[in-house]
Every structure is written in C-alpha cells, then in structure tokens.
Amino acid sequence: MKKALDDAALDILFREARSYNRWAAEGVSDETLHQLYELLKFGPTSLNTTPARFVFVKSAEAKTKLVACLSPGNVVKVERAPVTVIIAMDEKFYEKLTTLFPQRPGAANMFKDETYAQVTMMRNATLQGAYLILAARALGLDCGPMSGFDNAKVDAAFFAGTPLKSNFLCALGTGTTELLYPRNPRLPFDEVCKIV
C-alpha cells in the first residue's frame, strides 16, 4: 500500500472542507486554473473518455451572462465568486478516443448507441467535476458547487452551435463564513455500506 495522506491533508480535502456561498475579494489567477486542470485531468474515466469540458467564468461580461441563467438563490454567490466553473459535457466526446484510448481502435463505435453514449457522458463528466472540486481544495481553493440554474439558458449563452451541454456549476475562491451553514449530518457506515 502507498503511504496515506496525513490528517491535515484529509481535513483539507474532506473533513473540514465545506460548500461556500460567499467569497473574499481575493482573486484566482489564470495560472492557478491551469494548475487545477493539470491535476483533475488525471482522474479516471471509463475508456479514458474524459467527456467534461470546463468554462472558467471570470470576466464581468461572462458573469453577467451566467447570472442571467441562475436561480435567485445563487446570484450573489456567483457575482461575488472570483471564478465560477461551468462543468459541461461534450456529446461528441467519443470523437477524441483515437487520441485518448489508442490501444482500442474503433472504440468510438461503442457509442453509436445514443443511450449508452449519454449515460457514459453524464457519469464520467460528473466524476470529472468531482475531481475538479478535490483538485481545487488540494490547491488551497474553496468550492461552492451548485445546481440551481437553467441548463437550457446556460447552453444557449455559452455553448450555442456546439455539442456541449452544461452539467453543474462550481464557484471557486477563498470562502468566507458569511452564509456558511452548520455542516449537515452524514449517514453512518452501517446504513449505507455493506462488506460482502
């Protein structure tokens, strides 16, 4: 077995990490966003499909477009966040498989079944969104993942004419304690797990 992370690292990634709603004025550099992707890209996906695509919304113009697509409860969260990531999914992800999974020529043919392609895309893009959250926390960023937006509006505003569809959003920055609610309970091992 490899050496486990120490308690301080596990606290950063899981035990002390929270979903933030408000943000300090401190920005997030483009260099940090590049570092973030360079970590998250190594998370596993089936057949290395990596269907997620990431739009880092930073500019005032892009934020205005995104805010117009949000549920009211998320408006201030996004307005104040230095960056909000649109975690999107490429419906044509399989077109990259000759590069991403060269050991199986013709792997793209598996996704001619549209239902199978959609399930694969959704599962793996969502996993990649989770990798983004863990990578962001590992780099010292706080996260505010969210639904609470109109997918069709986001798709029209950011992905018109492309095979990309929005999945969920995640604000990034330095979180503050404003509107930081007490941690909700989690279910115990014996309620949700079984060792067979």
Side-chain angles (χ1 to χ4, degrees):
M1 250 174 96
K2 294 180 176 67
K3 185 178 181 212
L5 296 176
D6 64 20
D7 278 336
L10 294 173
D11 286 346
I12 289 168
L13 293 176
F14 296 102
R15 294 187 288 237
E16 300 298 326
R18 303 296 303 284
S19 291
Y20 287 85
N21 295 295
R22 295 295 182 267
W23 309 94
E26 181 181 336
V28 176
S29 71
D30 290 358
E31 179 184 353
T32 298
L33 298 178
H34 281 267
Q35 291 172 344
L36 174 60
Y37 178 71
E38 291 302 321
L39 287 176
L40 79 88
K41 73 181 184 181
F42 291 114
T45 56
S46 58
L47 288 179
N48 201 32
T49 49
T50 61
R53 304 294 180 260
F54 306 94
V55 176
F56 296 100
V57 176
K58 285 183 74 173
S59 71
E61 179 185 354
K63 277 189 185 186
T64 299
K65 279 182 13 179
L66 184 56
V67 163
C69 306
L70 300 175
S71 301
N74 284 332
V75 168
V76 176
K77 184 175 184 175
V78 170
E79 285 177 335
R80 291 192 187 172
V83 181
T84 300
V85 189
I86 304 170
I87 294 93
M89 310 170 287
D90 185 351
E91 291 189 310
K92 302 288 187 184
F93 68 88
Y94 48 83
E95 292 179 351
K96 304 280 187 192
L97 285 179
T98 54
T99 299
L100 295 172
F101 206 72
Q103 61 269 47
R104 188 181 292 179
N109 293 329
M110 297 170 59
F111 300 102
K112 288 181 178 175
D113 177 335
E114 189 175 327
T115 301
Y116 181 60
Q118 290 291 312
V119 168
T120 300
M121 177 186 73
M122 176 61 83
R123 178 184 301 120
N124 290 284
T126 303
L127 277 171
Q128 289 184 274
Y131 302 145
L132 177 138
I133 292 168
L134 291 175
R137 289 173 174 175
L139 291 172
L141 295 170
D142 293 314
C143 300
M146 68 193 101
S147 297
F149 66 97
D150 186 318
N151 290 81
K153 284 184 179 178
V154 168
D155 296 348
F158 289 90
F159 306 126
T162 76
L164 302 186
K165 303 291 179 200
S166 55
N167 186 348
F168 69 100
L169 308 176
C170 186
L172 299 175
T174 300
T176 70
T177 57
E178 183 185 354
L179 292 183
L180 185 62
Y181 304 108
R183 183 186 290 283
N184 288 317
R186 300 301 197 265
L187 295 172
F189 185 95
D190 290 340
E191 263 188 66
V192 296
C193 303
K194 186 184 292 188
I195 300 173
V196 296

